[in-house]
Amino acid sequence: MFSLIRDTFTSQLVTLWRVFKHMFDKKDTVEYPDVQPYMFPRWRGRIILSRDPDGEERCVACNLCAVACPVDCIALQKAEDENGRWYPEFFRINFSRCIMCGFCEEACPTNAIQLTPDFEMAEYVRQDMVWEKEDLLINGTGKYHDYNFYRVAGMAVGGKDKGEAQNEAPPVDVRSLLP
Amino acid sequence: MRWEVGSALNIVSILLVVVVIAAMLIWVERRLLGIWQERLGPNRVGPLGLLQVVADMLKIFTKEDWTPPFADKFSFILAPAIIMTVVLMSFSVIPFAPGVGIIDSNIGVLFVLAMASLGAYSVMLGGLSSDNKYALLGSLRAAAQMVSYEVFMGISLLGIVALTGSFNLREIVQAQADGWYVFPQIIGFIIFLIAGVAESHRLPFDIPEAEQEICAGYHTEYSGMKFGMFFVGEYLGLVLISSLITALFFGGWLGPGFLPPIFWFALKASFFVAFFILMRAAIPRPRYDQLMRYGWLFLLPLSLVNLLVTGAVILAGSGG
């Protein structure tokens, strides 16, 4: 009984002392607007549409990002240019719905849609949270500097025929292979 | 006008200073809690965040002062007034310094204890009149806690009263000129400290208003300045308990002569205010039945033993 009381008492005092010692520790607070926090390169923030190394849009309007999006904040419409390349006629992200989950980036087969370490996206008007393609598109390659979908894919577009892509064998006429 | 006990200058300045200090404690507490939790606390409004109090006050004054339609109007409005009145009344007998005080009462200790008992009505009425189950639970807890901790809050002080031979707080302070009462009355001091925390229902004994369990307890339904009065009343109670501990156990205004007496009082009292905030930062809340058992089965017998031993020592010393 006595030892129980003594231990209870001393444990409270030890707790008080240990909490008091925190006074001299380094504070964890980052005073944000004055001090910018370090944002990790793979932080999932504002969404951008990147371009391939030739400066063309990477997005091929496959709609996989819109399908993957759990909150349905991505809307786009496919269009085709004179070379046969697909591109989005419009590409709209409603950032008031977006939860920055990054599923669109994972789903994207052409590394077009990417999340960036920017989080300062507050707006006073809700309508300003809806970003169109010209707001989303950047003049760079984003995280993947060398990747160009139409240079590795087997699809024929203007200026590049079947079998001319990187690491691609010439097309085979299956009927001529008869023994 | 002169500085003497009970002068109008005294009354007005003590009232203003005490209420302003209680309001400033909102900032002090948030800042200190932040420091002890490795944060910074409010530091954006004004220098060091000092104007945070002004911002908080502006907010609380402009909020809608809403009385629920199902509440009992009269006692709902009465309850927050009681706690402010009662705690401010208790300050009238506190001896801040020679010549600084409102009443030089020869039943000062009794008066403070009586006002503390009346304070229980505030939380009881507040919870009952709200007609809300959490508020009712909170006021049930508050009533039981305050009634049981008052018992040995009084008994723990009887040792001092026996040593001084007076209920007058000024005489108690003056009797400590050759030694603070905290040394002969260390057990009484610890019991009074614990009971004081329970009386002002501060953490770790904030069971009546435990946010995590019963969402603020007896003041769940309060808003606007009525809530603000409960809030400031709690801080006033904190200042009151710290002042009482200073006056009763730590020699009040007595101290080396290079500082004026009122500074010694303020220094000692603010040490205890900081200690109470440290307790809030460090010690978790006990369960309700643990609180009751701890009070009745441990602290009450201990305070009685303390009183008996003190009496025996006085008796032996007087040669009777």
Side-chain angles (χ1 to χ4, degrees):
Chain A
M1 179 67 187
F2 176 73
S3 66
L4 179 71
I5 292 170
R6 187 196 59 205
D7 292 348
T8 319
F9 196 69
T10 48
S11 87
Q12 305 296 328
L13 288 182
V14 168
T15 310
L16 284 172
W17 172 243
R18 288 201 178 148
V19 172
F20 180 76
K21 277 199 301 185
H22 281 290
M23 198 172 196
F24 308 107
D25 292 353
K26 190 178 168 295
K27 307 291 177 238
D28 285 332
T29 311
V30 178
E31 293 193 79
Y32 158 59
D34 305 337
V35 182
Q36 288 294 328
Y38 174 69
M39 300 305 292
F40 289 89
R42 285 196 269 178
W43 177 269
R44 300 198 308 266
R46 179 169 59 87
I47 297 174
I48 52 104
L49 286 174
S50 58
R51 292 175 185 272
D52 61 27
D54 302 335
E56 302 286 338
E57 282 177 46
R58 267 180 179 155
C59 180
V60 294
C62 67
N63 264 308
L64 281 175
C65 50
V67 171
C69 183
V71 290
D72 283 349
C73 70
I74 302 178
L76 69 155
Q77 174 65 50
K78 191 207 97 177
E80 195 171 332
D81 68 5
E82 63 277 10
N83 288 327
R85 277 179 72 127
W86 289 12
Y87 70 96
E89 189 183 341
F90 67 83
F91 197 106
R92 188 175 297 140
I93 296 183
N94 184 349
F95 277 109
S96 63
R97 281 186 168 195
C98 179
I99 56 172
M100 309 291 171
C101 64
F103 284 9
C104 49
E105 183 176 11
E106 286 181 34
C108 186
T110 65
N111 291 334
I113 193 165
Q114 291 174 16
L115 276 74
T116 57
D118 178 19
F119 60 93
E120 292 170 321
M121 303 174 62
E123 297 285 352
Y124 285 102
V125 183
R126 179 165 283 237
Q127 203 55 41
D128 293 349
M129 304 282 284
V130 178
W131 288 38
E132 296 293 340
K133 190 168 98 173
E134 51 273 27
D135 309 320
L136 295 165
L137 208 57
I138 62 166
N139 283 326
T141 53
K143 295 174 212 173
Y144 308 97
H145 303 298
D146 305 323
Y147 183 77
N148 187 333
F149 173 72
Y150 283 106
R151 292 280 156 265
V152 294
M155 186 187 175
V157 290
K160 189 209 81 173
D161 213 349
K162 283 275 186 192
E164 290 176 6
Q166 291 163 22
N167 300 324
E168 189 188 16
V172 176
D173 183 0
V174 285
R175 287 182 175 71
S176 71
L177 275 178
L178 289 170
Chain B
M1 277 193 278
R2 289 175 302 128
W3 284 102
E4 60 180 24
V5 174
S7 68
L9 182 65
N10 242 334
I11 294 171
V12 171
S13 50
I14 286 176
L15 179 69
L16 282 181
V17 167
V18 159
V19 171
V20 167
I21 283 177
M24 289 303 289
L25 276 184
I26 299 171
W27 172 78
V28 170
E29 170 155 45
R30 289 174 63 185
R31 215 51 220 267
L32 282 179
L33 283 180
I35 284 168
W36 284 321
Q37 292 166 356
E38 301 193 1
R39 299 183 285 117
L40 293 174
N43 64 346
R44 316 292 310 181
V45 196
L48 294 172
L50 269 167
L51 295 180
Q52 183 69 38
V53 181
V54 180
D56 282 353
M57 279 290 150
L58 272 179
K59 188 195 91 174
I60 214 160
F61 272 116
T62 50
K63 271 195 166 185
E64 185 187 3
D65 193 4
W66 190 66
T67 309
F70 44 82
D72 181 48
K73 294 274 182 312
F74 178 68
S75 41
F76 189 80
I77 295 167
L78 187 65
I82 290 179
I83 195 159
M84 282 286 280
T85 318
V86 154
V87 180
L88 283 176
M89 292 268 275
S90 309
F91 273 105
S92 62
V93 293
I94 302 287
F96 291 101
V100 183
I102 298 178
I103 311 172
D104 190 7
S105 168
N106 56 0
I107 52 158
V109 177
L110 286 182
F111 184 78
V112 168
L113 290 175
M115 285 297 138
S117 309
L118 282 178
Y121 280 109
S122 165
V123 288
M124 279 160 69
L125 284 178
L128 271 174
S129 60
S130 295
D131 200 8
N132 169 312
K133 56 188 152 193
Y134 293 115
L136 183 65
L137 278 175
S139 61
L140 273 176
R141 291 175 172 198
Q145 172 180 329
M146 292 183 84
V147 166
S148 34
Y149 274 71
E150 246 151 43
V151 175
F152 47 84
M153 188 184 191
I155 295 174
S156 68
L157 294 184
L158 285 184
I160 287 183
V161 173
L163 282 174
T164 319
S166 166
F167 276 116
N168 188 325
L169 280 163
R170 257 171 217 286
E171 282 174 23
I172 290 175
V173 172
Q174 269 147 9
Q176 296 176 67
D178 31 284
W180 290 352
Y181 278 152
V182 65
F183 302 117
Q185 287 292 316
I186 180 74
I187 295 172
F189 164 63
I190 290 167
I191 294 169
F192 185 77
L193 187 78
I194 293 168
V197 179
E199 274 298 298
S200 54
H201 26 86
R202 300 261 320 157
L203 269 153
F205 295 137
D206 74 332
I207 292 171
E209 48 190 285
E211 286 92 347
Q212 296 89 341
E213 301 163 25
I214 51 174
C215 67
Y218 59 88
H219 53 58
T220 305
E221 292 289 349
Y222 281 89
S223 61
M225 201 48 215
K226 287 210 273 294
F227 168 76
M229 279 167 88
F230 271 123
F231 204 63
V232 174
E234 187 185 313
Y235 283 114
L236 277 173
L238 181 64
V239 180
L240 177 71
I241 293 294
S242 308
S243 313
L244 272 178
I245 290 175
T246 306
L248 290 166
F249 293 96
F250 286 85
W253 66 76
L254 301 171
F258 55 85
L259 280 178
I262 186 79
F263 276 93
W264 282 112
F265 192 93
L267 201 67
K268 292 171 187 172
S270 45
F271 174 80
F272 284 103
V273 169
F275 182 75
F276 281 126
I277 295 172
L278 176 62
M279 278 175 87
R280 174 176 178 174
I283 300 181
R285 183 187 301 132
R287 226 166 45 220
Y288 179 60
D289 61 315
Q290 290 172 333
L291 179 89
M292 282 295 144
R293 185 177 306 146
Y294 183 58
W296 287 108
L297 296 186
F298 178 62
L299 288 179
L300 179 66
L302 193 67
S303 57
L304 286 171
V305 167
N306 179 47
L307 179 60
L308 276 176
V309 171
T310 310
V313 168
I314 293 172
L315 212 58
S318 68

